[in-house]
Every structure is written in structure tokens, then in C-alpha cells.
Amino acid sequence: MAEILNKQYKSVFTEPSTQPNLQAQALLFDPITDIEISPQAIKDAISMTSSSSAAGPDGVTPTILKHFADELAEPLAILFRRSIDSGNPLDDINLAFVTPIFKGGVKSKPENYRPVALTNHITKILERLIKEKIVEHLVANQLYNATQHGFRSNRSTTTNLIEYYESLLLQLEYHSAVDSIYLDMSKAFDKCDHNIILRKMESLGITDKITKWTEGFLKKREQCVVINGHRSGNISVTSGVPQGSVLGPVLFLIKMSDITLGINQAIISSFADDTKVWRGIQDHNSEISLQSDLDHIYRWAEANNMEFNTKKFQAIRFHDILGECNYKGSDGSMIEQVKNVRDLGLFVSDDLSFNHHIHSVIKRGNQMAGWSLRVFKSRSRDLMIPLLKQLIIPRVEYCAILWGPHSQILINRLESVQKKFTGKINFEGNTRPNYWERLSELKIYSLQRRRERYCILYT
């Protein structure tokens, strides 16, 4: 199993381009060439490591690093300084153990498992120091792509979806309809071209020692798949950024930083590699303009050695007064038009209502509540409340500040998920308090009150 999955992961790697076709830009700011490494910075980085994280291939656990942080800070500072100055990653520890995570679909198909890399914590400490310097540079000089919401401070799927709906409503004020195209990148993290990432880093003013070290970090990696204690053989990683590393997400954002360049009329929004493109539609010329911008994105992908999975493209037309929309994917095939599309865990409908999503949320909440009651015999509050908070509530209020129902019927149906579950809890004296008395005694809010509170906090 480990060898089969390792072979699958190797098959998606791309060969690096020899001469990336990137447009050079004049720097309007000071580049960064090096980072300062001090024992205190290393201790701070160690303190940010989760104690529950598993040890990497070198067997060093976060607990060891935290316990001996004062003793290790000085020698690690010397080791990291030599690594940065030489441009070489730390010797013999650039190996990643890959854990396959099932994404969905048929379990017997290797392509349905996402590779998550377990790397060494000592390497992660150095990655964290480099990442902090790069992020500080990108933020200070406003080099982040403003349309990107993934892996960024104060950005989330919620901010992405709220901005998206705000834009849709604004576009509908001036146009007859809005067409939105959902793109799908094939193995986006695994196909990142190392040479293109490095050239883009230089174009953003990240140069010299940092770029040289990053080159070694990307190109001198090996990985093996580990399943139930069994290891596959090691393979060289020729493309991609390691999922599970500290530096990988930032390098991916750098790769995606120029996707909006050259787009004339359409609007783009991304959460990591999940990208959608939309614009207001008034007539056939508006459709031609949107198709032109789509074609520009397809050319960007080709220039960046990326691939789109056209079979997973979806188009949705908000306010279908103009009839069906017709757009082509990167391979020339027609993009399927749908009435509902799943966008970052939320069902988006062509009538801009959230009824379809709310019914789905109620169903998922009741399913998880039923599963919990079947699996666990106990009805004590010490068990039931953690189950409610950890398994049920997250499923019924994810991104609820956007889709929270205004209809009293839907409000009551959604509330019934928590109402029925808490009704199974045993109370002292075998009493059966009503719902509001239960909430008071259990010291929890109603779902409606939680949504209202989140709206206030978010605003």
C-alpha cells in the first residue's frame, strides 16, 4: 500500500522548467537577503510548536525541544547560521514521512488520498524564522495578492465568502445577471514548479541567502509513505511544496501571487488553490469578455507549469433572465452550468438564497447527533456536552454569520438540532427541564444567540 501510494504521488510531479517565462519587475522597495538568527528567536519559535505534534523522521519530539529549549538555543543558532550562509538545508534531515489522508470517493483509488508531509521539528523551527521574515516583507510592501484569503492573517473562508457575496450583490445592481466560474487546479501543491517559485521570490525582492536556502529546501527533498508502521522506499521530490511544512504555504502564495495580472473585467478570488472568477453580464459581449479573461488565466497556468482539471469546472448564473451561459474550459470543452455549487464548504445557489445550504446543515447536524447517541451509551452531561461542542455545533454554525436564517421556520428547525440532543442529557433527580431551562443549567447559548453574537464580534 505504501509503495502504491508513493508511486501515485511521484506520478503527479512535474519536471521543472529550465527558463521560466516571467516578466521582470523593477523593485520599488528594499529587498531582503538574509535573516537574523538569535537564541531568543529560536526559543520563541520552539514555544510556538504544538506539544501534541508527532515526531518527524529524526525522532525528535516537540516535548524534547520545549524541555531543553534553553540548552538547545545556542547550538541551534550556530547550526542554522551555517545552513543559511552555505545555502544548504540541514544534512540528512530533509526527508519527509508522508501520511495519506482520504479525501473522498472510492477508497481503493490511490489518487483519492492527499499527501501530508511529516517533517522534522528542528527544520520547522528554521522554516518558521524564515517564514516570519518573508511574511513581514510581503506585508510591509503590500506584495500579497489582495484576492488571496488562504494562509493569511485575518483572512479565512468566511472573509472570502462574505466578500464574494458582497461583490455579487453589487454587480447585480448594475447588470442583468452575474456569471461565476469555479476553477479546479489539478494537484496544485504537488505541481508547483520550483524554478518558477524561486524566480517569483526574486521578483518580489526576496533574494540572495534566503532564495539560495529555499532552493535547497525545495530541490533536495525526499519523501516516503508510511502506513501502519510500514515504509515505502525514498523518492526524490522534483516539484511541489510540502503539505504539512511551515514554509510551504507561503511559497504557494508566492506562486499564485500574479494570477490576477492582465485580467481586465472579471473579478478573481482565491482561498489557496480554490479559485473562482466572475463578472456582471449585460449582453453577449459581457460573456465574450469573461471568456477572454478565463483564457488569460488558462495561459497563466500554462506559463506557470500548472494544470487545470476541466472536468471539475462549474459555472453558475445568478439571476438567469438571460438564459443559459456558455463558457469553455482550458481544454475547449463546455463548462457545466449548475444551480447549486459547493464553495468552501457552503452551498451557493443561483437564486442567492441559503435555503439549500440550511437544509443541508440541519441534515448533517441531525446525522452527527444520531451517530453520537448510537455510539455512546452514557447520557451524562460530562460526555454529552463535549460531544455537542466538538462534533455537532461546528457542523451547524460554520460561516453562519453569512447564511444565518431569517425565517422563523428555519430558525426553529436549526435550533431543534441542539434542542433534541440536549433533551437526551440526564439531569439530577430525573427531572426533564424545558429547553431554555436546560440551556441555563448547562451554561450554553442557543444556536440563534451564538449566531447573533458571532455577527457582532465579526463586525
Side-chain angles (χ1 to χ4, degrees):
M1 290 166 60
E3 291 292 352
I4 290 171
L5 285 165
N6 212 23
K7 183 179 179 180
Q8 164 64 28
Y9 298 146
K10 183 178 180 179
S11 69
V12 303
F13 292 155
T14 58
E15 290 299 322
S17 54
T18 53
Q19 293 181 337
N21 184 21
L22 299 176
Q23 184 177 358
Q25 299 181 15
L27 294 181
L28 302 178
F29 43 80
D30 294 330
I32 57 171
T33 61
D34 197 1
I35 65 169
E36 181 181 347
I37 298 177
S38 66
Q40 184 58 48
I42 290 175
K43 286 190 281 188
D44 292 341
I46 291 175
S47 68
M48 297 171 63
T49 305
S50 173
S51 299
S52 60
S53 299
D58 62 358
V60 178
T61 65
T63 304
I64 293 175
L65 294 174
K66 286 177 174 288
H67 188 75
F68 296 104
D70 292 336
E71 291 81 2
L72 290 172
E74 185 69 33
L76 285 179
I78 297 172
L79 183 68
F80 291 166
R81 184 70 265 164
R82 289 179 179 175
S83 178
I84 292 291
D85 289 342
S86 66
N88 293 316
L90 304 177
D91 291 341
D92 300 325
I93 60 172
N94 224 15
L95 171 68
F97 285 172
V98 172
T99 301
I101 304 297
F102 181 60
K103 298 186 296 184
V106 181
K107 286 191 173 182
S108 59
K109 291 187 176 182
E111 59 267 27
N112 290 336
Y113 291 82
R114 176 183 291 109
V116 176
L118 180 63
T119 56
N120 296 304
H121 289 287
I122 291 178
T123 304
K124 285 183 177 180
I125 295 170
L126 179 52
E127 287 181 63
R128 187 167 283 113
L129 299 177
I130 295 174
K131 175 194 170 184
E132 290 177 357
K133 185 67 174 180
I134 291 176
V135 169
E136 179 185 326
H137 172 75
L138 295 176
V139 171
N141 296 289
Q142 299 181 2
L143 298 175
Y144 270 127
N145 190 319
T147 68
Q148 177 62 252
H149 290 252
F151 310 124
R152 293 186 57 187
S153 176
N154 298 321
R155 298 287 187 100
S156 65
T157 54
T158 300
T159 62
N160 180 290
L161 291 166
I162 287 179
E163 286 191 8
Y164 179 46
Y165 265 79
E166 176 69 11
S167 176
L168 293 177
L169 295 173
L170 183 63
Q171 291 290 320
L172 284 171
E173 290 184 12
Y174 298 99
H175 300 90
S176 300
V178 176
D179 287 352
S180 185
I181 314 298
Y182 287 79
L183 308 177
D184 184 85
M185 295 184 184
S186 178
K187 308 292 183 183
F189 283 83
D190 299 323
K191 289 182 177 294
C192 285
D193 189 305
H194 295 160
N195 290 338
I196 293 178
I197 291 176
L198 296 170
R199 298 295 80 76
K200 287 188 179 182
M201 289 178 66
E202 292 178 347
S203 71
L204 294 174
I206 306 167
T207 63
D208 202 22
K209 291 183 179 180
I210 297 180
T211 306
K212 187 177 180 182
W213 187 91
T214 304
E215 181 176 9
F217 171 75
L218 290 173
K219 294 185 176 182
K220 296 180 180 180
R221 286 191 299 120
E222 291 186 337
Q223 71 176 39
C224 67
V225 175
V226 179
I227 301 178
N228 297 332
H230 296 274
R231 285 179 53 179
S232 69
N234 295 352
I235 59 171
S236 297
V237 180
T238 59
S239 69
V241 294
Q243 299 182 57
S245 65
V246 174
L247 196 55
V250 176
L251 298 178
F252 182 80
L253 294 191
I254 290 174
K255 174 69 179 290
M256 293 281 292
S257 62
D258 58 351
I259 190 173
T260 55
L261 292 181
I263 302 301
N264 297 319
Q265 300 294 328
I267 306 170
I268 300 180
S269 183
S270 300
F271 186 88
D273 60 321
D274 290 321
T275 301
K276 46 188 173 275
V277 187
W278 70 95
R279 68 151 292 165
I281 302 298
Q282 197 69 40
D283 49 32
H284 183 59
N285 290 331
S286 302
E287 294 180 306
I288 295 175
S289 175
L290 178 53
Q291 182 64 62
S292 176
D293 284 335
L294 286 172
D295 292 338
H296 185 86
I297 295 173
Y298 302 155
R299 291 192 293 272
W300 171 88
E302 184 178 356
N304 282 269
N305 211 3
M306 302 285 281
E307 294 180 12
F308 280 117
N309 186 358
T310 309
K311 293 180 180 179
K312 292 187 178 181
F313 282 16
Q314 290 181 307
I316 187 168
R317 170 163 284 178
F318 300 100
H319 201 288
D320 58 357
I321 192 173
L322 298 178
E324 293 185 355
C325 55
N326 297 288
Y327 298 101
K328 293 182 179 181
S330 54
D331 62 355
S333 62
M334 299 304 299
I335 299 175
E336 178 189 10
Q337 183 176 347
V338 295
K339 299 185 73 66
N340 300 287
V341 62
R342 191 175 180 88
D343 185 2
L344 300 178
L346 183 139
F347 282 105
V348 176
S349 302
D350 60 359
D351 61 358
L352 281 177
S353 79
F354 294 108
N355 290 343
H356 179 78
H357 179 73
I358 293 171
H359 288 300
S360 173
V361 166
I362 294 170
K363 181 180 178 180
R364 292 202 305 271
N366 283 325
Q367 287 175 338
M368 182 51 66
W371 177 87
S372 301
L373 294 172
R374 289 192 303 272
V375 170
F376 297 95
K377 287 185 177 181
S378 173
R379 296 295 181 261
S380 70
R381 70 175 66 184
D382 290 340
L383 172 69
M384 296 284 279
I385 294 303
L387 289 175
L388 175 68
K389 292 181 177 180
Q390 297 297 326
L391 298 180
I392 299 171
I393 288 180
R395 283 170 169 77
V396 298
E397 65 181 19
Y398 164 71
C399 205
I401 59 175
L402 176 59
W403 58 262
H406 59 84
S407 159
Q408 192 61 49
I409 294 176
L410 290 177
I411 290 174
N412 292 341
R413 284 198 60 194
L414 190 57
E415 197 70 46
S416 70
V417 177
Q418 180 170 273
K419 185 176 181 179
K420 288 188 291 186
F421 188 80
T422 56
K424 302 293 184 180
I425 298 176
N426 291 333
F427 289 87
E428 293 181 4
N430 293 322
T431 59
R432 285 290 174 186
N434 65 40
Y435 181 51
W436 304 106
E437 291 171 342
R438 292 199 298 271
L439 295 183
S440 177
E441 186 168 343
L442 297 171
K443 294 184 169 68
I444 58 177
Y445 287 132
S446 68
L447 296 181
Q448 182 181 6
R449 179 70 182 89
R450 288 173 64 89
R451 292 194 299 272
E452 293 168 349
R453 181 171 176 267
Y454 287 152
C455 286
I456 294 169
L457 290 173
Y458 185 85
T459 303

